[in-house]
Amino acid sequence: MALPNDVDVLVVGAGFSGLYMLHKLRGLGLSAVALEKGDGVGGTWYWNRYPGARCDVESPYYSYSFDADLEQEWEWTERYPAQPELLKYINHVADRFELRKDIFLETTAVSAVFDESENLWTVTSIGPEGGHVTRARYCIMATGCLSSARMPNIPGLESFQGQLLHTGMWPHEEIDFTGQRVGVIGTGSSGIQAIPVIAEQAQNLQVFQRTPNFSVPAFNGPIDQQWYREIKENYPELRERSRHTTMGIPFQRRDQAAIDISEEEREQVFEEHWPKGGFRISSCFNDLMRNQESNDSLASFVRNKIDQMVHDPKIAQLLKPYDHPVTGKRICVDTNYYATYNRDNVELIDVKSDPIQEITAHGIQTEDHFFELDTIVVATGFDAMTGAMLHMDIRGRGGASLREHWEAGARTYLGLAVAGFPNMFTIAGPGSPSVLSNMLTSIEQHVEWISDHLVHLREGGYTSSEAATVAEDEWVDHVRELSEKTLFPSANSWYLGANVPGKPRVFMPYIGGVGRYRAHCTDIASRDYEGFVLK
Ligand code: FAD
Ligand code: N01
């Protein structure tokens, strides 16, 4: 089917957000299409196929809740799902709800211009058939927070004659590292997940670490059938509970401050939570991101664990994070990460003390050494939260450009709408809990809120909805003020844009938690969409 010229709603992106949005729009009787750059659906789980790619939220919770039959029929096999299983799930959803006929793959939206005289968006895209223009009443950006992969700015990168791979743009064919000399640049979550798996295959693995990150073991394994059965029996209640928690998962932070108890007692609580795996450890006190001393005690607990897991004390020292609070960057959830450095074929290169100078045809040259490599794996992350949106030329009222509107940092109302850009909505955008949460919970809440809003507009006979400038200003201030009450801004994280040279340093996600945020959005809706100008 050809991409239509006119639709009610145009969705950009076909990951978890775009797929559910499309499904909801159909249910409202609106005509809708989704444009997707990739040649398949799945977003994050389509692009990030690197070995070891896995979710940090347990599988029964990192899944859609909108359809009880889907929930009951799908069978997760592992506690934390790996990328292939997640991609299979998303494809299953696309088939089950017959979404594919309205999804246009290999089609990139390059610009979106608002036509004020008719209250319509004109979206230009490039697809397999060439350029196309689609007019839509509403434009919904489901473009992803972590979908704009960044190559590092290292001199000579393009001259490398071996295999160059980025974790966020991983090839579709199987990559076999057997017998190879492999270098990995970057030790964020992607590097930390890939390194142990590559180490098992490669002849030699050299890890180029600039800054160590906190990582905690997942204790992953086949899903515990009894646990899963209980979840399935109680899904409605568990999902509802998730919607009102801080992180969008159905266990709440323990309501006790670490600062209120002795160091020995804290240690005991950490020890109890460590074997539970993943985020459990960061939820064991309620003041870990508000009180430096509390955070320091968890940090030193994790550093001690590194000492226990890594045999060589010099390597252990290099792996210990020192420049940011635990969870100031999204905590990595790993399988065998630290123990991998006990292998004879793995070497940790500290590029803080011996910086990378250039990449040559045959490897990586640091100030003091040359490392000959067959493959370089780049795990250097993303232009997060704003990158995908700003790749497009988006123009709102009066031809104003989003790039200019966001020049000093992303500005939104509720992470859902932007002043001056009527009838455009963002899913899990900056200013919403998104990346600080289980994103499936946050995505569903946004999709449902937008759907309800579109119904409200239809029933009220409105053709335009726009965030008021004053509402946007207040929300931006509120998001910033909340973050300033925490330790988050002290970390040089991508939450702040700190990983992209020249990007304004603004804390982008809403830190008040999924439950509080949801209550606020519901309240806004109940007050006739306060802060939105409806015409
Ligand atoms: P995405 O999945 O990013 O999909 C956006 C889609 O939009 C992409 O397919 C992209 O190609 C497309 N697109 C963008 N711009 C255009 C354009 N101009 N034209 C056409 N198409 C466009 N979250 C968690 O909660 N737990 C996790 O464990 C977790 N693990 C992650 C692991 C990795 C490696 C990464 C990168 C992210 C992870 N996330 C995790 C966050 C993850 O991005 C979300 O959970 C979720 O998958 C986002 O879904 P989405 O549909 O909003 O965005
Ligand atoms: O990216 P990152 P990521 N030379 O930005 C280093 C989600 N996710 O893809 O800290 C040398 O975190 C950089 O070093 P430094 C999750 O939300 C989840 O790993 O800037 N090194 C850092 O070590 C996550 O937070 C999972 O000094 C360079 C690394 O590259 C987000 O995606 C799995 C460099 C980048 O780390 C992004 O994770 C994967 C250079 N020039 C991703 N430039 C789960 O487990 C950058 N670095 C769920």
Side-chain angles (χ1 to χ4, degrees):
M1 196 186 80
L3 185 52
N5 299 330
D6 295 280
V7 283
D8 294 326
V9 191
L10 185 138
V11 179
V12 185
F16 273 113
S17 298
L19 292 190
Y20 183 35
M21 193 72 246
L22 201 52
H23 175 66
K24 282 296 276 187
L25 293 168
R26 290 238 191 102
L28 300 181
L30 293 167
S31 62
V33 293
L35 311 184
E36 170 53 56
K37 194 170 12 173
D39 74 359
V41 300
T44 287
W45 307 105
Y46 166 90
W47 294 105
N48 292 265
R49 299 166 185 247
Y50 59 85
R54 188 179 293 287
C55 190
D56 59 12
V57 176
E58 287 150 323
S59 51
Y61 307 136
Y62 190 83
S63 57
Y64 288 120
S65 72
F66 69 81
D67 188 278
D69 292 337
L70 170 68
E71 229 171 34
Q72 291 299 326
E73 286 165 22
W74 183 263
E75 292 290 339
W76 294 106
T77 64
E78 287 185 281
R79 179 178 176 196
Y80 294 96
Q83 175 273 333
E85 191 168 14
L86 283 159
L87 191 58
K88 200 169 146 198
Y89 172 75
I90 301 175
N91 275 284
H92 170 76
V93 171
D95 291 333
R96 186 186 174 106
F97 297 99
E98 296 178 6
L99 299 173
R100 292 190 199 276
K101 58 179 184 282
D102 293 322
I103 299 173
F104 292 83
L105 299 173
E106 294 179 88
T107 304
T108 302
V110 289
S111 71
V113 179
F114 188 66
D115 174 350
E116 270 178 86
S117 61
E118 299 199 56
N119 284 339
L120 291 176
W121 281 95
T122 301
V123 178
T124 303
S125 57
I126 311 277
E129 312 294 325
H132 192 89
V133 172
T134 311
R135 283 158 68 81
R137 169 76 65 218
Y138 303 105
C139 191
I140 299 180
M141 298 301 181
T143 46
C145 297
L146 293 160
S147 55
S148 184
R150 279 193 70 241
M151 275 294 182
N153 195 8
I154 301 175
L157 188 70
E158 63 297 332
S159 67
F160 183 60
Q161 284 178 10
Q163 182 172 231
L164 182 66
L165 305 168
H166 191 297
T167 49
M169 296 180 278
W170 201 261
H172 288 205
E173 62 276 11
E174 186 87 11
I175 304 289
D176 185 2
F177 294 103
T178 308
Q180 289 198 14
R181 296 159 301 176
V182 182
V184 174
I185 304 177
T187 51
S189 297
S190 303
I192 283 178
Q193 287 189 328
I195 285 161
V197 186
I198 297 174
E200 281 173 16
Q201 268 187 17
Q203 179 190 313
N204 286 308
L205 171 63
Q206 272 138 357
V207 178
F208 296 83
Q209 171 188 272
R210 197 162 62 181
T211 317
N213 267 296
F214 288 100
S215 190
V216 296
F219 296 109
N220 186 39
I223 201 159
D224 178 325
Q225 287 302 332
Q226 194 186 330
W227 175 72
Y228 192 21
R229 205 168 37 250
E230 281 165 20
I231 289 175
K232 282 195 166 184
E233 281 164 13
N234 296 293
Y235 246 142
E237 192 240 315
L238 289 167
R239 297 293 202 179
E240 188 52 21
R241 201 191 304 163
S242 302
R243 294 180 189 120
H244 303 281
T245 58
T246 305
M247 279 203 65
I249 30 193
F251 49 86
Q252 191 56 291
R253 266 198 311 237
R254 256 178 90 247
D255 196 19
Q256 180 181 38
I259 196 73
D260 289 343
I261 57 174
S262 69
E263 191 65 50
E264 292 71 36
E265 286 170 299
R266 284 178 215 166
E267 185 83 9
Q268 203 185 328
V269 174
F270 293 143
E271 278 296 357
E272 280 162 21
H273 283 74
W274 181 263
K276 295 181 182 172
F279 292 145
R280 299 295 202 287
I281 188 84
S282 55
S283 307
C284 68
F285 289 111
N286 62 16
D287 63 341
L288 291 172
M289 280 313 281
R290 283 188 287 111
N291 186 293
Q292 187 67 53
E293 187 186 327
S294 303
N295 196 286
D296 286 346
S297 41
L298 177 55
S300 62
F301 175 83
V302 179
R303 288 189 201 109
N304 288 339
K305 288 286 180 196
I306 296 173
D307 275 332
Q308 289 164 23
M309 289 183 277
V310 179
H311 299 160
D312 181 337
K314 282 204 210 104
I315 304 289
Q317 193 56 33
L318 281 178
L319 288 166
K320 289 181 197 169
Y322 55 85
D323 72 334
H324 63 278
V326 195
T327 77
K329 299 179 179 182
R330 187 159 175 133
I331 201 162
C332 309
V333 177
D334 73 81
T335 297
N336 291 334
Y337 177 60
Y338 292 113
T340 294
Y341 292 95
N342 298 330
R343 296 176 66 106
D344 291 338
N345 67 336
V346 177
E347 191 183 353
L348 182 65
I349 319 295
D350 173 23
V351 296
K352 202 66 147 212
S353 64
D354 183 16
I356 297 177
Q357 275 193 331
E358 62 169 332
I359 294 181
T360 70
H362 301 292
I364 295 180
Q365 176 71 57
T366 64
E367 236 164 62
D368 300 334
H369 298 92
F370 180 69
F371 300 91
E372 200 164 338
L373 298 166
D374 302 306
T375 294
I376 297 177
V377 173
V378 174
T380 49
F382 301 85
D383 183 356
M385 305 208 74
T386 55
M389 292 272 289
L390 295 181
H391 266 137
M392 291 175 274
D393 186 12
I394 301 178
R395 304 214 166 236
R397 255 188 314 106
S401 100
L402 187 70
R403 286 176 191 148
E404 278 171 27
H405 190 65
W406 283 6
E407 204 166 16
R411 306 185 66 74
T412 70
Y413 180 40
L414 304 171
L416 277 162
V418 184
F421 296 79
N423 293 358
M424 180 181 87
F425 300 98
T426 50
I427 301 180
S432 76
S434 68
V435 290
L436 294 178
S437 66
N438 169 8
M439 283 205 57
L440 262 280
T441 312
S442 290
I443 286 168
E444 287 198 322
Q445 184 255 336
H446 264 196
V447 168
E448 287 159 15
W449 191 96
I450 293 169
S451 304
D452 291 347
H453 187 53
L454 297 188
V455 170
H456 180 82
L457 297 177
R458 182 166 63 187
E459 288 175 353
Y462 302 110
T463 56
S464 162
S465 160
E466 180 184 348
T469 301
V470 64
E472 182 179 275
D473 290 348
E474 282 171 13
W475 186 252
V476 169
D477 287 345
H478 177 60
V479 170
R480 194 198 59 248
E481 282 159 13
L482 282 183
S483 76
E484 284 168 355
K485 289 182 188 150
T486 71
L487 304 176
F488 276 97
S490 65
N492 281 323
S493 66
W494 55 259
Y495 296 149
L496 276 162
N499 64 326
V500 180
K503 192 166 172 172
R505 200 179 163 99
V506 172
F507 194 82
M508 293 179 277
Y510 170 83
I511 221 160
V514 165
R516 183 166 157 196
Y517 173 80
R518 165 184 286 271
H520 189 72
C521 291
T522 307
D523 187 44
I524 296 283
S526 73
R527 283 190 276 119
D528 216 7
Y529 292 94
E530 192 178 70
F532 285 87
V533 180
L534 310 184
K535 286 184 188 155

